Amino acid sequence: MGFSVEEETLQEKCVNLDTLQNLDGDGFYQDGDVIIGALINVHNLAATPDLSFTREAELPPCLEFQEHSVHWVQAIVFAVEEINRSPSLLPGVQLGYHIMDSCSRYPHSLTAAMSMISGGNKTCGTTRPAKVIIGDSSSTQSILLSRTLSPLQIAMISYLASCPCLSDRQKYPNFFRTIPSDAYQARTMAQIAKRFGWTWVGAVVADNDYGRGAVQVFEEEIKGMGICLAFFHTLYREQLAKDAARAAATVQASSARVILVFSWYVDVEVFLLELIRRNVTDRLFLASEVWSTSAYLLANPQLYTIAKGTLGVALRSVPIPGFDAHLRQLHPARYPDDEFLRTLWENTFDCSLTKSTTKAFQNALPPCSGRESLEGVQSPFTDTSHLTVAYNIYLAVYAVAHALHSLLACTPQNNSDPKIKLKCSSPDNITAAQLLKHIGQVHFTTQSGEEFYFLDGSIPPVYDLVNWQRAPDGSLRYVSIGRVDGNQLIINESAISWPGDSGKCKCFSDLS
Ligand SMILES: *[C@@H]1O[C@H](CO)[C@@H](O)[C@H](O)[C@H]1NC(C)=O
Ligand SMILES: *[C@@H]1O[C@H](CO)[C@@H](O)[C@H](O)[C@H]1NC(C)=O
Ligand SMILES: *[C@@H]1O[C@H](CO)[C@@H](O)[C@H](O)[C@H]1NC(C)=O
Ligand SMILES: *[C@@H]1O[C@H](CO)[C@@H](O)[C@H](O)[C@H]1NC(C)=O
Ligand SMILES: *[C@@H]1O[C@H](CO)[C@@H](O)[C@H](O)[C@H]1NC(C)=O
């Protein structure tokens, strides 16, 4: 095979990939015997790249810090700490992590991944190379990353990339995910449309593999069901205003009352605001999981009317015992190297931490007193009522741990006395390729009692179905109205609140 040789060379030689000015420091590193790399989009959007090609390209800076992503970062920290304490899973082996910001852009995500697996940092000092990468978030980034990492036989486990295309084991042999493929999500949308007799459905989707893939599956599914796709528009991040205006104009002109929307929530907001500007507020949106439970959208009062009645497929939420307490006890003093937590801290308490290079410091905010505490803080960061992506990330860490447990042949030291501690073989010389093989075969029971295994690299379909309703105080919230379990669609129709004041769903059935 020869890959282990290549890998060793990679580890020994210091490769300075570029100047890395905008990789947001070097992420958050915690040493251990085996390092789990992770890509989290802590920032949402990099400035538009310079495509003039008249000078050397550099990574644009990342903008738009996202509080909820720090919550995802902490899901890794929490899972790793829990596993390191466990007497039955990987006893004697300390897991470490290297978490970097992918900024929702592939130049950042690729550079960060290379930096994690090579173990170099800016000064060519060493952090231990990551043996596996949890990520990336988006499908497009995951495709690029899988193509790059698969010759090196490095496994990646995404928590959010749901494109059906990624189920191709020939093309993406090193790709796994703890989220079901969208093939099931788009299929669920088709089943819902059939159930309610909607025959004329439009689609507005992200102009990437995520959006286009979903429409493709939806079209497949509705064949022979008497349902037609009325129109299909894409939203491209680089020209969002223009695309949103075009899509909104089509929605306005079309008689289709039900619109399938598969797009990133920030882009969905621009599209919905454009519809409001045109006074089109009586459509029913079928929401994909990336925006169906978005606290960001639900909190925008401008959307209260237009988005009421939205039906969405949502990632199933599963509680993680102890996670709430972990989040509330966080303090930068305990994690001095966690730059993500530092930024969150400064934003939450309007103060600046020493050592900080962030905005808070430049804006000369008063120094933090050290007595700040997340104990009583209500924010997207401390909200653990619906753990979805955080749970997927938590599961991904557990999948890696169980694969390692099997790779290191952790068995009782003394067979005649099972109480005697488990012992694992040394993790020093394992290769990423060995770990990849064991991840593919992983099979365990989760703490919530579910069986976990990968089928074509993905987990089987499990979703919650949600509906956006007005709360008594007029605000919007989402309510669970059913679920998908395997091939079963379970809906409580009387729990659904429809758009407008009609209270009925019949108005969305087209007369055609
Ligand atoms: C790079 O790693 C070395 C050795 O671990 C460390 O001393 C140095 O501070 C690191 N550099 C940066 C920029 O993190
Ligand atoms: C928006 O729609 C409402 C109700 O249909 C109508 O009364 C109002 O005049 C419309 N406003 C604009 C700007 O078109
Ligand atoms: C295994 O445990 C039994 C009972 O505790 C003990 O008698 C035996 O000597 C142990 N064997 C080894 C190889 O440690
Ligand atoms: C790991 O590899 C090193 C160098 O190749 C070797 O000296 C050492 O004995 C190996 N350790 C184990 C536990 O196999
Ligand atoms: C269905 O929803 C209604 C209204 O919210 C509720 O009263 C009822 O208990 C629900 N039924 C089931 C089986 O969950």
Side-chain angles (χ1 to χ4, degrees):
M1 305 264 273
F3 284 116
S4 56
V5 176
E6 273 183 41
E7 195 175 277
E8 267 171 34
T9 332
L10 190 69
Q11 289 171 16
E12 280 161 17
K13 221 171 33 182
C14 173
V15 184
N16 213 342
L17 288 154
D18 70 11
T19 43
L20 305 188
Q21 309 95 322
N22 289 310
L23 262 186
D24 210 2
D26 289 312
F28 177 24
Y29 179 77
Q30 169 65 51
D31 199 19
D33 299 320
V34 180
I35 305 300
I36 299 179
L39 288 167
I40 305 280
N41 46 329
V42 177
H43 289 86
N44 185 43
L45 184 96
T48 308
D50 174 11
L51 298 179
S52 64
F53 304 111
T54 53
R55 62 197 148 132
E56 193 182 347
E58 57 180 41
L59 287 182
C62 302
L63 308 167
E64 290 185 23
F65 177 76
Q66 306 195 95
E67 251 180 62
H68 69 255
S69 302
V70 184
H71 183 106
W72 300 354
V73 168
Q74 286 301 322
I76 294 170
V77 174
F78 178 76
V80 165
E81 290 180 358
E82 195 171 73
I83 293 161
N84 284 345
R85 280 195 307 269
S86 164
S88 55
L89 185 57
L90 289 174
V93 178
Q94 288 292 302
L95 291 180
Y97 46 76
H98 195 172
I99 304 166
M100 295 187 76
D101 189 357
S102 71
C103 290
S104 317
R105 294 287 181 136
Y106 55 81
H108 292 78
S109 122
L110 283 177
T111 317
M114 288 304 165
S115 156
M116 289 189 289
I117 63 169
S118 62
N121 68 8
K122 277 178 213 171
T123 57
C124 285
T126 45
T127 57
R128 222 181 275 240
K131 296 278 190 231
V132 53
I133 288 184
I134 292 182
D136 202 335
S137 50
S138 88
S139 294
T140 303
Q141 280 162 226
S142 293
I143 286 169
L144 289 164
L145 205 56
S146 174
R147 290 206 172 122
T148 312
L149 297 182
S150 79
L152 299 167
Q153 300 211 54
I154 293 173
M156 49 187 284
I157 308 181
S158 175
Y159 45 89
L160 205 51
S162 49
C163 177
C165 54
L166 282 161
S167 292
D168 186 334
R169 301 313 288 161
Q170 299 275 308
K171 277 194 187 149
Y172 311 108
N174 65 332
F175 177 82
F176 300 91
R177 52 182 154 192
T178 52
I179 183 171
S181 155
D182 278 338
Y184 302 113
Q185 196 180 160
R187 184 201 288 170
T188 300
M189 304 275 197
Q191 285 170 341
I192 294 175
K194 183 175 178 215
R195 163 107 170 222
F196 291 110
W198 301 326
T199 53
W200 196 228
V201 178
V204 175
V205 302
D207 189 6
N208 57 24
D209 300 290
Y210 173 72
R212 289 179 179 274
V215 170
Q216 209 175 349
V217 172
F218 185 77
E219 281 197 285
E220 273 310 302
E221 289 294 321
I222 59 178
K223 266 186 202 152
M225 275 189 185
I227 301 169
C228 296
L229 191 63
F231 57 83
F232 159 35
H233 268 284
T234 54
L235 302 178
Y236 184 48
R237 177 73 51 83
E238 315 293 353
Q239 47 175 37
L240 187 56
K242 199 169 121 204
D243 281 4
R246 261 201 340 228
T250 305
V251 170
Q252 185 171 25
S254 169
S255 64
R257 286 289 178 273
V258 180
I259 324 288
L260 193 69
V261 184
F262 270 74
S263 198
W264 190 241
Y265 67 89
V266 182
D267 304 352
V268 171
E269 183 184 41
V270 174
F271 167 62
L272 292 181
L273 290 175
E274 182 63 28
L275 282 175
I276 294 169
R277 207 179 61 77
R278 291 165 187 266
N279 211 3
V280 182
T281 57
D282 59 347
R283 302 302 199 269
L284 173 68
F285 302 99
L286 290 178
S288 65
E289 98 290 344
V290 288
W291 70 277
S292 66
T293 58
S294 163
Y296 173 84
L297 292 179
L298 286 162
N300 183 347
Q302 286 180 280
L303 304 180
Y304 284 179
T305 302
I306 189 167
K308 175 183 168 266
T310 292
L311 278 183
V313 173
L315 299 181
R316 53 79 190 268
S317 80
V318 180
I320 305 177
F323 190 47
D324 184 67
H326 168 87
L327 292 180
R328 297 208 176 266
Q329 286 158 16
L330 282 173
H331 195 285
R334 260 180 68 216
Y335 297 94
D337 296 333
D338 185 347
E339 58 188 275
F340 309 125
L341 181 60
R342 277 208 303 271
T343 308
L344 176 98
W345 206 260
E346 293 179 335
N347 287 359
T348 305
F349 300 109
D350 282 331
C351 61
S352 78
L353 291 160
T354 49
K355 253 179 81 179
S356 178
T357 53
T358 60
K359 230 177 11 198
F361 190 67
Q362 290 155 12
N363 291 352
L365 286 173
C368 301
S369 71
R371 289 186 303 277
E372 294 83 8
S373 159
L374 289 168
E375 207 52 62
V377 172
Q378 291 302 325
S379 71
F381 177 73
T382 57
D383 182 4
T384 51
S385 57
H386 293 93
L387 295 176
T388 53
V389 183
Y391 183 69
N392 291 350
I393 291 173
Y394 176 80
L395 265 188
V397 177
Y398 266 86
V400 172
H402 280 276
L404 263 177
H405 190 85
S406 135
L407 171 60
L408 301 178
C410 303
T411 43
Q413 227 169 343
N414 182 336
N415 285 327
S416 54
D417 185 357
K419 275 197 226 116
I420 304 253
K421 273 205 248 150
L422 291 170
K423 191 165 169 35
C424 307
S425 55
S426 163
D428 294 345
N429 294 339
I430 60 162
T431 65
Q434 291 170 322
L435 185 55
L436 166 61
K437 184 162 152 261
H438 284 263
I439 287 174
Q441 295 162 352
V442 82
H443 197 144
F444 62 96
T445 306
T446 65
Q447 272 141 331
S448 61
E450 277 180 281
E451 258 193 89
F452 183 97
Y453 56 90
F454 291 114
L455 194 67
D456 286 336
S458 310
I459 60 164
V462 276
Y463 295 111
D464 286 343
L465 296 174
V466 299
N467 176 221
W468 287 22
Q469 305 184 352
R470 294 294 276 269
D473 66 358
S475 68
L476 265 189
R477 60 177 178 189
Y478 69 91
V479 174
S480 172
I481 50 106
R483 66 199 162 84
V484 175
D485 200 343
N487 281 326
Q488 268 186 303
L489 183 67
I490 302 140
I491 299 184
N492 180 356
E493 283 186 39
S494 56
I496 300 177
S497 155
W498 300 97
D501 305 317
S502 70
K504 291 248 164 58
C505 64
K506 287 281 176 253
C507 50
F508 297 100
S509 305
D510 194 79
L511 299 175
S512 59

